[in-house]
């Protein structure tokens, strides 16, 4: 007997076939058939209060699991609210599948009401965008969407699912089963060439970038570093790829130039970049008189004015790195020439971290003290991000979630929520500025409703601090960047979360511990003394 079902049922079956366990989003009337099919499936719907937040959460799931996160919205305004989340995934290399509704395409009973060309809108923001124009297309389009989302470089894919197609009655369809696709390993010739360049280096240095943080790469990378014994530094998004507690860690390039870690970068004659992508703000700038650069990556380097590596090894990092280590172990005579710089670099960066003031350094110090090795800190975008990048030591990959590619405000809270949903057994903290927090603060209700254990820290300076610092760097007058704030403690309580304002720096660590011990959603407001921006990042580094 032939089974009759809706195309929406077939769509959900195709998603289950891809291993989808949850969908983040905010449905509309154009999704009602699809929504009912989800209700009758094994997939969990995580309802959010804004589509942008749903996209950030789904992208973070992709980042942390290596499998595409999925987000659902309605047509028009709902779909357009995915734009920032799509760009976040595109630049950050996070696999994401976005499904949007649309009015019927077989008739036009509501004329052009709410209709925008979402497929055209998403074209520059995705790796692929398609309209599902018939139920028969569902198996292949869904399979292709997940395949493309994971292809190099991982990123967002968009499918538009019109309501009349979703409601179509169809016979049972045959799904396309996913299959394992092995990535290529770096060629023997490229490995031999790179090894020879590295062996002959007089002052070699490793740089670990964002793509080295991918699921499955960290173990091979840590083993590679241990075998070749060359000092390393990380980009902002490369933090945690190898522990910052080893004797070879030289620091993190939170700035593009002039910081203490650049003492090592500027002296290196060969820099081996592992997993670097130029969508991340440059950790250093190449020029004709600079070091030779060997690029190891999942894909070929994107040549830019500031990055044009002379040698490349392209392939899956996990199996490629052991082959390179085989060629280098015990054969790099000058491997540790730059290592004597390490002690002063780290001492300078860690200076004044325990002062009795609400300085960025002290706040980072207190956060590090309460977070276990596997604890996850998710940062929004603001001035504090630079301080966390410089000062926060990570020991595991993807335990400091920050965005140094699109670098959008508003992503910190949703990304922390996704981390808490995926890892309920781990401590998770969101660190947001007062500006970025209010861009998606409505998701506190979502966090409370989901029963998450989450600590949200607001560093409060009543200004868009990052731009204010840039204003100061460029010697512009302080203008146009300050604002007022609500009573954040009362605000949190209105959503059913706990709220607390810390007025003495000696109380901060205890406030964090009490919040984690109590469980649930806690918001902690912390003032911050950004005079350190000028003292350190302008005056001190400028004097060098």
């Amino acid at each position: 007997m032939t089974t009759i079902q809706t195309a929406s049922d077939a769509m959900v079956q195709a998603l289950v076939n891809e291993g989808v366990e949850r969908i983040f989003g905010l449905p509309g009337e154009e999704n009602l058939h699809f929504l009912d099919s989800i209700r009758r499936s094994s997939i969990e719907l995580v309802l959010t209060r804004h589509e942008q937040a749903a996209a950030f959460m789904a992208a973070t799931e992709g980042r942390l699991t290596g499998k595409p996160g999925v987000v659902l919205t309605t047509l028009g305004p709902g779909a357009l609210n995915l734009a920032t989340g799509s760009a976040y995934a595109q630049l950050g290399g996070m696999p994401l599948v976005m499904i949007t509704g649309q009015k019927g395409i077989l008739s036009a009973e509501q004329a052009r009401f709410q209709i925008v060309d979402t497929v055209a809108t998403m074209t520059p923001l995705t790796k692929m965008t398609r309209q599902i124009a018939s139920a028969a297309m569902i198996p292949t389009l869904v399979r292709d969407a997940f395949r493309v989302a994971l292809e190099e470089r991982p990123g967002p894919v968009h499918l538009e699912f019109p309501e009349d197609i979703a409601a179509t009655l169809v016979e049972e369809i045959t799904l396309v089963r996913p299959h394992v696709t092995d990535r290529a390993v770096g060629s023997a010739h490229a490995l031999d060439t790179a090894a020879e360049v590295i062996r002959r280096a007089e002052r070699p240095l490793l740089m670990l970038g964002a793509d080295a943080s991918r699921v499955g790469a960290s173990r091979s990378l840590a083993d590679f570093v241990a075998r070749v014994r060359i000092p390393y530094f990380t980009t902002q998004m490369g933090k945690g790829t190898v522990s910052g507690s080893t004797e070879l860690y030289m620091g993190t390039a939170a700035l593009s130039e002039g910081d203490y870690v650049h003492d090592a970068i500027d002296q290196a004659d060969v820099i081996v970049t592992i997993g670097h992508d130029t969508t991340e703000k440059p950790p250093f700038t190449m020029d004709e008189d600079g070091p030779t650069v060997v690029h190891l990556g999942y894909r070929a380097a994107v040549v830019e004015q500031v990055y044009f590596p002379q040698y490349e090894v392209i392939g899956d990092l996990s199996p490629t790195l052991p082959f390179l280590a085989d060629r280098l172990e015990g054969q790099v005579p000058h491997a540790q020439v730059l290592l004597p710089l390490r002690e002063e670099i780290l001492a300078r960066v860690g200076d004044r971290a325990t002062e009795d003031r609400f300085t960025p350094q002290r706040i980072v110090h207190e956060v590090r003290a309460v977070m276990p090795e596997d604890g996850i800190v998710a940062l929004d975008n603001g001035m504090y991000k630079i301080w966390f990048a410089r000062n926060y030591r990570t020991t595991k990959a993807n335990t400091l979630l920050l965005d140094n590619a699109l670098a959008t405000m508003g992503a910190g809270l949703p990304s922390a929520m996704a981390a808490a949903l995926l890892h309920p057994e781990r401590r998770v903290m969101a660190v947001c500025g007062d500006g970025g927090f209010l861009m998606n603060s409505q998701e506190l209700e979502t966090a409370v409703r989901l029963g998450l254990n989450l600590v949200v820290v607001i560093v409060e300076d009543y200004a868009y601090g990052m731009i204010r610092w840039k204003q100061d760097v460029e010697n512009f007058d302080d203008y146009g960047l300050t604002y007022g704030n609500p009573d954040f403690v009362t605000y949190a309580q209105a959503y059913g979360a706990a709220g607390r304002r810390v007025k003495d720096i000696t109380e901060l660590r205890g406030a964090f511990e009490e919040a984690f011990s109590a469980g649930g959603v806690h918001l902690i407001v912390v003032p911050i003394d950004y005079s350190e921006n000028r003292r350190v990042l302008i005056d001190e580094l400028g004097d060098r």
Side-chain angles (χ1 to χ4, degrees):
M1 181 177 177
T2 302
T3 301
I4 304 297
Q5 60 182 348
T6 65
S8 281
D9 291 334
M11 183 74 167
V12 168
Q13 289 169 13
L15 294 174
V16 171
N17 183 55
E18 296 292 339
V20 174
E21 297 178 1
R22 65 183 59 83
I23 296 175
F24 302 89
L26 203 169
E29 63 179 286
E30 290 74 26
N31 307 119
L32 290 179
H33 281 91
F34 189 37
L35 192 63
D36 195 60
S37 296
I38 294 172
R39 177 184 64 82
R40 292 180 280 105
S41 76
S42 61
I43 296 175
E44 174 191 9
L45 176 68
V46 180
L47 181 68
T48 64
R49 304 307 296 267
H50 196 285
E51 294 89 353
Q52 184 188 93
F56 288 149
M57 293 178 75
T60 301
E61 180 174 59
R63 178 180 189 174
L64 292 176
T65 66
K67 300 184 295 183
V70 181
V71 61
L72 169 68
T73 77
T74 188
L75 82 172
L80 293 175
N81 279 341
L82 292 178
T84 304
S86 183
Y88 175 77
Q90 180 90 312
L91 272 66
M94 306 173 198
L96 173 68
V97 172
M98 303 179 292
I99 302 170
T100 64
Q102 186 54 278
K103 294 294 183 187
I105 58 174
L106 303 179
S107 64
E109 295 178 0
Q110 295 191 25
R112 302 294 299 173
F113 176 64
Q114 284 197 308
I115 293 179
V116 296
D117 189 341
T118 307
V119 172
T121 301
M122 287 294 178
T123 297
L125 296 173
T126 60
K127 299 178 68 180
M128 181 183 88
T129 176
R130 296 283 190 274
Q131 182 187 77
I132 300 176
S134 77
M137 298 169 62
I138 288 173
T140 52
L141 279 181
V142 171
R143 176 81 282 271
D144 205 34
F146 279 77
R147 179 187 63 80
V148 171
L150 286 171
E151 277 184 340
E152 290 305 326
R153 188 170 184 247
V157 169
H158 168 244
L159 296 176
E160 182 176 79
F161 197 23
E163 62 178 334
D164 55 354
I165 302 301
T168 303
L169 295 176
V170 296
E171 294 183 359
E172 187 172 1
I173 59 176
T174 302
L175 301 174
V176 180
R177 296 294 176 189
H179 62 279
V180 176
T181 303
D182 289 331
R183 291 188 177 95
V185 178
S187 72
H189 175 72
L191 287 163
D192 289 341
T193 302
E196 182 60 22
V197 172
I198 297 167
R199 280 194 293 264
R200 291 162 57 181
E202 296 182 1
R203 298 175 302 281
L205 186 63
L206 304 180
M207 185 189 86
L208 315 180
D211 284 350
S213 293
R214 291 192 199 171
V215 176
S218 291
R219 182 173 296 179
S220 291
L221 186 53
D223 182 64
F224 174 79
V225 170
R227 291 176 66 187
V228 302
R229 308 296 298 165
I230 298 174
Y232 62 93
F233 72 101
T234 76
T235 68
Q236 289 192 35
M237 294 180 73
K239 288 184 73 71
T241 47
V242 175
S243 173
S245 300
T246 77
E247 72 280 9
L248 297 171
Y249 173 68
M250 302 289 279
T252 295
L255 306 173
S256 294
E257 60 184 1
D259 206 349
Y260 292 104
V261 72
H262 289 92
D263 290 351
I265 296 170
D266 294 343
Q267 291 187 38
D269 67 331
V270 172
I271 297 179
V272 183
T273 67
I274 303 176
H276 179 52
D277 192 278
T278 54
T279 53
E280 186 169 8
K281 189 174 182 180
F284 70 95
T285 299
M286 288 186 66
D287 58 49
E288 293 181 358
D289 299 322
T292 297
V293 173
V294 179
H295 171 93
L296 272 69
Y298 291 93
R299 65 170 184 167
V302 177
V303 174
E304 302 279 2
Q305 179 181 354
V306 298
Y307 189 70
F308 42 90
Q310 293 92 342
Y311 301 93
E312 294 187 86
V313 179
I314 308 305
D316 188 334
L317 291 179
S318 186
T320 297
L321 287 169
F323 288 122
L324 184 58
D326 290 343
R327 291 163 165 81
L328 293 176
E329 187 172 10
Q331 299 183 50
V332 186
H334 303 295
Q336 298 188 16
V337 167
L338 294 176
L339 197 57
L341 298 173
R342 176 181 184 272
E343 184 175 350
E344 183 176 0
I345 290 171
L346 297 184
R348 290 285 191 175
V349 170
D351 186 36
R352 303 171 99 170
T354 56
E355 281 191 340
D356 287 334
R357 296 187 294 139
F358 284 100
T359 63
Q361 300 97 308
R362 180 62 188 271
I363 292 172
V364 172
H365 180 78
E366 297 304 313
V367 170
R368 179 67 278 182
V370 301
M371 298 304 289
E373 284 192 355
D374 66 350
I376 298 173
V377 176
L379 302 179
D380 207 278
N381 273 278
M383 196 64 218
Y384 49 87
K385 186 181 77 169
I386 289 178
W387 291 101
F388 269 88
R390 290 177 94 237
N391 290 48
Y392 190 87
R393 295 278 194 96
T394 48
T395 54
K396 290 189 176 182
N398 292 310
T399 53
L400 184 67
L401 303 181
L402 59 82
D403 170 22
N404 195 37
L406 184 65
T408 177
M409 297 171 72
L413 176 59
S415 61
M417 290 166 58
L421 192 64
L422 289 166
H423 297 290
E425 77 288 357
R426 293 158 71 171
R427 286 189 172 186
V428 178
M429 175 185 288
V431 179
C432 308
D434 42 13
F437 170 75
L438 282 173
M439 291 186 178
N440 271 310
S441 63
Q442 74 284 341
E443 299 306 329
L444 277 180
E445 188 280 326
T446 307
V448 171
R449 174 167 32 90
L450 293 175
L452 300 181
N453 293 319
L454 177 65
V455 175
V456 181
V457 178
I458 299 178
V459 290
E460 188 174 40
D461 69 328
Y462 298 92
Y464 293 114
M466 173 74 79
I467 311 307
R468 202 179 195 185
W469 170 62
K470 292 287 188 180
Q471 207 171 44
D472 197 13
V473 170
E474 299 293 334
N475 294 313
F476 287 108
D477 289 341
D478 184 350
Y479 174 75
L481 298 171
T482 59
Y483 44 71
N485 282 327
D487 180 341
F488 284 120
V489 172
T490 303
Y491 186 81
Q493 292 169 346
Y495 283 113
R500 178 173 178 177
R501 181 177 294 274
V502 177
K503 297 181 179 180
D504 189 314
I505 189 63
T506 60
E507 300 173 0
L508 186 57
R509 188 180 304 185
F512 290 160
E513 286 289 358
E514 288 175 18
F516 279 121
S517 297
V521 179
H522 291 254
L523 187 146
I524 299 174
V525 187
V526 181
I528 190 163
D529 180 0
Y530 271 148
S531 63
E532 291 293 278
N533 294 346
R534 168 160 281 282
R535 186 188 72 79
V536 176
L537 303 180
I538 298 177
D539 296 337
E540 182 180 312
L541 296 186
D543 288 344
R544 299 181 71 231

